[in-house]
Amino acid sequence: MSENKRSFQDALSESPLVVPILAIFTSMVLGGIIIAWAGGNPVAAYIGLYQGAFGSLNALSETAVWATPYILAGLAVAFAFKGGLFNIGAEGQLALGAVAAAWVGYALPDLLGAELPRYLHLTLALGAGTLAGLIWGAIPGWLKAHTGGHEVINTIMMNYIALNMTSFLLNGVMKDPSPTNVIARTPLIAETARLGTLFAKYRVHWGFIMALVAAAIVWWLLERTTFGFEIRTVGANPDAAQYAGINVKRIITWTMAISGLLAGLAGAVEVTGLNYRHELGFSVGYGFDAIAIALLGKTHPLGVVLAALLFAAMRNGGTRMQFMTQIPVDIISVIQALILLFVAADAIIRYIYRLKASEDKLVLTRGWGG
Amino acid sequence: MDWKRYLFIALIIIALFSVVIFVGKTQTPPLVIAMSMLATTLMVATPLTLGALSGVFCETSAVINIGIEGMMLAAAFFGWLAAIYMNTIFGYEPMPSLITGVVVAVLTGGIFGLLLAVLSITFKVDQIIGGTVVNMLAIGITGFLNRQLFFEKNSVFGGQVPHAPGTLPIIHLPVPKVVGGVCSLFTADGCPTFANALGKVFDQRPIAILAIVLVFVSHYVIFHTRWGLRTRAVGEHPRAADTVGINVTRVRYINVVIGGLLAGLGGAYFTLESVPSFEPLMTNGRGFIALAAMIFGNWTPIGSWAAALVFGAAQAMQINLQFFRDLIPPAWSFLQQSYIVGLTPYLLTMLILTGIVGKTVPPAADGQPYEK
């Protein structure tokens, strides 16, 4: 009997889902304690959270709407991790992707003096967004490969540069000129540059499908192509990769470029599919959320999709939770940070729940020298 | 740190000062502008200096700390919270509230430092992820509590921000008097313009002055004490240190907590010295720039301080140009755009990290957990 029990515990300890699930559970319990301290009823709060996220068809649609940029930005960070690179710059890449897509969306028809065909205009807008993200990711990648400037610092600096540039543009040349507007935002994009919704009555749009397809492509690229193999080899051991004849510098630059591309697409999809414009401040917080999603999903594309859906459900349900219990929606950020804490330090979870220590250690980044 | 690097730092600072002097010289004497720039530079470099010192202590013992930003943010919030709470008790006397605030801020930094230490030393979490956890927790907790305490009607403060005790007062060091006295030995009038302009530089608030003192204290501790030697040994070659009987884990724990305390003091600057209020995300990347200053300063206290002054000068340029906005010549009109001028510290950071003035060398074991 005890033999069986032991083997069951072994199997449980080795399952890849066990630590993330227990991390989420533990964080929700701690979050509940904080809610109770703040004078709320944790059970009511979590019921509100659940209803807000899954309680109706509209709630499901809104969760998918939230999940769309999360999946893409999470994939961006996860993709860089595969190559041994830490992209903290998803926020800036996303913001510039949104700005570029918005510009093509509202300004290009005026510039050309003619309406563009629907799918061409949409493709150009999405293309501009991904290109902006790609460039914004490639710069720190190139700097890492050729000068050794660490991508952690450089991507953070480029977040602030992107924020300043966006503020400059949205308060200046790109500001919505309508007389009633006082907000730093672009004009609405043309109808021809908009992604359609999936169902007539709900806001969930084709960007959600695009995000899922992107996850599949990322998986295929990493697991089934030579390029992906080279990325993973550089991520695991750059010296060995160099010795094996892989052009490490080229791979590092392209890993960051594709990572930036995915984040840029996230921004472009938000503009073309949901908001139909870019507004200052909308992209704040996506960068850190994307890191947490990538880590919670263990950098696997399917894991990233699931983690993004969870984060989206929490963000979406948080509004209803706040409405029902008066607990500020910011509690969600605390719970999400705790999830990241327990996923990163899985030894804590394994200790609390008496699981066996993990054999394989996920090496994600290297120190300053790497 | 070699002299070329200090020369490079000096040249950049001179260039940044020159821009402001060039723009404002028709209205204000260059000397006064230079002194005003120097005063602002020393002031705004304070959190960068303290953040960089935090990084120096952590990384000299081989623990990468990218959580400086979060430590400062949390310290800024809890220090301010303690100060305004004490102010409701002490009322009209601001100093006890402010001092309590500073102490709480420093301790908050220490607690977050302890969290980083537990994650990276005991649990051997990837240290960059560990720092990210610190940053995310700080953003989450401060954002939640800020909303919960000051915007919810059922909270202890009844949904509004109580009266703040103001900021720490300026300490007037008697520099103008001394300079005037020396000056009067050589001139008839005791050169009041110069003395007063110079005096402005030394009219700093307590945390700014303390930060400069701590630079030299840290230098002494790291390079001239037994503790510093042990710390460096643990950072360069932990196994050798272990072999001669140094407790690697203990040395790293203490240094990371010291780093947290220093970042906490840097956090106090934001809400207790610079402005008497708290905004979510108000540290605005200063923790990361501090990290870059530490790298550029080659992981040494004095070098980090010098690098922090470069970033301080860039920020001071942005601030001082505001006074001369109307004097900016048309060809230089981009200087009127604060968003464009505001890019300077970030672009400088990236430029410096390319190794344009030589590569810096981190402690050999930096970032690696120690396995016995």
Side-chain angles (χ1 to χ4, degrees):
Chain A
M1 192 62 200
S2 74
E3 283 288 301
N4 278 338
K5 197 180 165 201
R6 183 168 293 269
S7 66
F8 174 68
Q9 199 182 7
D10 282 359
L12 204 61
S13 302
E14 281 157 20
S15 161
L17 283 175
V18 128
V19 166
I21 288 171
L22 288 174
I24 293 162
F25 173 73
T26 312
S27 307
M28 300 283 272
V29 170
L30 288 174
I33 293 170
I34 299 172
I35 291 171
W37 167 82
N41 178 348
V43 179
Y46 284 140
I47 288 173
L49 189 69
Y50 177 81
Q51 286 174 348
F54 306 113
S56 65
L57 283 175
N58 189 52
L60 283 172
S61 154
E62 287 302 302
T63 297
V65 163
W66 271 100
T68 305
Y70 275 161
I71 293 172
L72 288 167
L75 284 173
V77 178
F79 192 87
F81 272 141
K82 289 286 187 192
L85 298 160
F86 194 5
N87 180 8
I88 309 191
E91 191 159 318
Q93 293 144 14
L94 189 146
L96 286 188
V99 169
W103 185 81
V104 170
Y106 81 83
L108 201 57
D110 292 344
L111 213 64
L112 299 175
E115 226 173 66
L116 284 138
R118 167 131 199 245
Y119 289 104
L120 178 67
H121 196 185
L122 178 60
T123 309
L124 286 176
L126 291 173
T130 50
L131 185 67
L134 182 139
I135 293 169
W136 218 242
I139 294 170
W142 188 89
L143 286 171
K144 165 88 172 187
H146 292 269
T147 72
H150 203 278
E151 83 278 6
V152 165
I153 308 260
N154 278 337
T155 50
I156 293 167
M157 291 304 123
M158 291 188 66
N159 277 344
Y160 288 102
I161 294 172
L163 182 67
N164 269 37
M165 281 171 57
T166 319
S167 308
F168 174 66
L169 292 171
L170 295 189
N171 283 301
V173 288
M174 286 179 72
K175 188 171 181 173
D176 181 2
S178 68
T180 52
N181 175 44
V182 289
I183 303 169
R185 63 179 194 197
T186 67
L188 283 172
I189 61 172
E191 295 279 348
T192 45
R194 295 183 187 181
L195 273 171
T197 52
L198 286 172
F199 309 102
K201 277 164 65 189
Y202 303 109
R203 289 208 304 168
V204 60
H205 51 83
W206 278 96
F208 183 63
I209 305 295
M210 285 171 62
L212 296 179
V213 172
I217 293 174
V218 165
W219 177 83
W220 172 80
L221 187 67
L222 283 169
E223 303 295 330
R224 289 288 181 272
T225 66
T226 316
F227 180 53
F229 175 75
E230 290 180 338
I231 289 172
R232 286 184 289 126
T233 310
V234 171
N237 189 338
D239 294 331
Q242 185 84 48
Y243 190 70
I246 294 171
N247 187 340
V248 174
K249 290 183 175 178
R250 193 180 66 96
I251 292 292
I252 287 175
T253 310
W254 273 104
T255 306
M256 282 302 287
I258 292 172
S259 176
L261 175 152
L262 288 161
L265 182 61
V269 159
E270 281 295 88
V271 167
T272 54
L274 187 67
N275 302 319
Y276 305 134
R277 58 159 44 112
H278 184 49
E279 189 174 312
L280 197 61
F282 123 85
S283 55
V284 171
Y286 276 108
F288 277 128
D289 284 350
I291 295 166
I293 288 164
L295 290 172
L296 183 59
K298 297 218 163 162
T299 72
H300 190 285
L302 180 62
V304 168
V305 170
L306 293 175
L309 285 169
L310 175 79
F311 269 48
M314 290 172 82
R315 288 280 170 202
N316 179 30
T319 321
R320 184 165 173 81
M321 184 192 78
Q322 179 167 0
F323 176 72
M324 286 176 64
T325 58
Q326 317 304 321
I327 298 297
V329 65
D330 306 63
I331 185 72
I332 300 298
S333 301
V334 179
I335 296 175
Q336 289 178 347
L338 288 171
I339 292 177
L340 177 64
L341 167 71
F342 291 126
V343 172
D346 66 338
I348 301 176
I349 290 293
R350 288 177 189 279
Y351 174 77
I352 296 173
Y353 296 99
R354 304 286 184 276
L355 296 172
K356 276 180 72 177
S358 162
E359 294 290 317
D360 60 327
K361 263 190 95 73
L362 193 61
V363 178
L364 296 166
T365 62
R366 284 176 297 276
W368 303 123
Chain B
M1 216 169 79
D2 56 25
W3 63 271
K4 273 188 212 151
R5 197 165 280 249
Y6 283 114
L7 183 68
F8 180 79
I9 287 172
L11 287 176
I12 293 187
I13 293 180
I14 289 169
L16 293 167
F17 276 41
S18 303
V19 171
V20 184
I21 291 171
F22 167 76
V23 170
K25 65 178 186 293
T26 52
Q27 197 184 68
T28 314
L31 179 71
V32 175
I33 298 179
M35 291 300 155
S36 159
M37 277 289 286
L38 191 54
T40 319
T41 301
L42 289 174
M43 183 180 78
V44 298
T46 304
L48 306 178
T49 307
L50 289 165
L53 288 180
S54 166
V56 167
F57 273 95
C58 295
E59 300 206 6
T60 304
S61 74
V63 177
I64 290 178
N65 181 4
I66 73 158
I68 299 168
E69 175 86 359
M71 293 174 183
M72 293 209 294
L73 182 65
F77 178 78
F78 285 103
W80 180 70
L81 183 63
I84 58 171
Y85 182 70
M86 293 311 275
N87 201 43
T88 62
I89 298 170
F90 290 122
Y92 297 102
E93 187 62 53
M95 275 317 276
S97 308
L98 287 167
I99 290 170
T100 314
V102 172
V103 170
V104 169
V106 171
L107 292 178
T108 306
I111 289 168
F112 276 79
L114 190 61
L115 171 67
L116 180 67
V118 170
L119 288 175
S120 54
I121 302 167
T122 302
F123 288 110
K124 300 184 171 63
V125 172
D126 183 308
Q127 292 174 1
I128 291 182
I129 309 277
T132 306
V133 169
V134 168
N135 288 331
M136 282 190 68
L137 263 183
I139 292 171
I141 290 172
T142 55
F144 169 68
L145 286 179
N146 186 50
R147 186 90 64 99
Q148 172 69 23
L149 293 174
F150 305 121
F151 294 90
E152 294 293 322
K153 287 206 174 58
N154 58 359
S155 80
V156 282
F157 295 116
Q160 54 183 321
V161 183
H163 191 66
T167 56
L168 290 162
I170 292 174
I171 296 176
H172 296 280
L173 296 174
V175 174
K177 262 187 207 155
V178 174
V179 172
V182 173
C183 234
S184 61
L185 297 175
F186 304 102
T187 59
D189 63 347
C191 41
T193 321
F194 178 65
N196 282 331
L198 194 65
K200 221 175 172 186
V201 176
F202 291 91
D203 279 351
Q204 297 286 350
R205 292 170 199 268
I207 298 177
I209 295 169
L210 196 53
I212 296 169
V213 173
L214 283 170
V215 168
F216 294 97
V217 171
S218 304
H219 175 83
Y220 180 79
V221 168
I222 288 175
F223 293 108
H224 299 284
T225 64
R226 186 190 297 202
W227 174 257
L229 182 64
R230 288 182 175 180
T231 302
R232 283 181 288 138
V234 162
E236 293 292 339
H237 202 316
R239 189 160 305 281
D242 194 9
T243 312
V244 297
I246 297 171
N247 185 336
V248 175
T249 305
R250 184 166 160 271
V251 169
R252 285 189 179 170
Y253 254 90
I254 292 173
N255 276 295
V256 174
V257 172
I258 290 173
L261 297 170
L262 286 164
L265 185 61
Y269 167 84
F270 290 94
T271 49
L272 300 169
E273 180 158 299
S274 178
V275 290
S277 61
F278 176 82
E279 300 278 336
L281 308 175
M282 74 186 300
T283 43
N284 202 14
R286 245 77 126 241
F288 296 116
I289 296 181
L291 198 63
M294 174 207 71
I295 293 174
F296 187 52
N298 208 6
W299 285 265
T300 63
I302 294 177
S304 301
W305 182 48
L309 289 178
V310 172
F311 298 120
Q315 216 182 324
M317 177 180 80
Q318 191 189 357
I319 294 167
N320 280 270
L321 275 178
Q322 306 277 331
F323 303 132
F324 305 122
R325 242 187 136 233
D326 304 329
L327 297 174
I328 294 172
W332 293 55
S333 61
F334 71 92
L335 287 176
Q336 286 184 345
Q337 300 291 347
S338 64
Y339 294 120
I340 302 295
V341 180
L343 294 178
T344 324
Y346 310 122
L347 288 173
L348 264 179
T349 305
M350 293 180 67
L351 181 73
I352 281 167
L353 288 183
T354 60
I356 191 170
V357 269
K359 297 254 183 220
T360 52
V361 189
D366 205 5
Q368 295 161 16
Y370 180 58
E371 314 266 0
K372 271 211 166 167

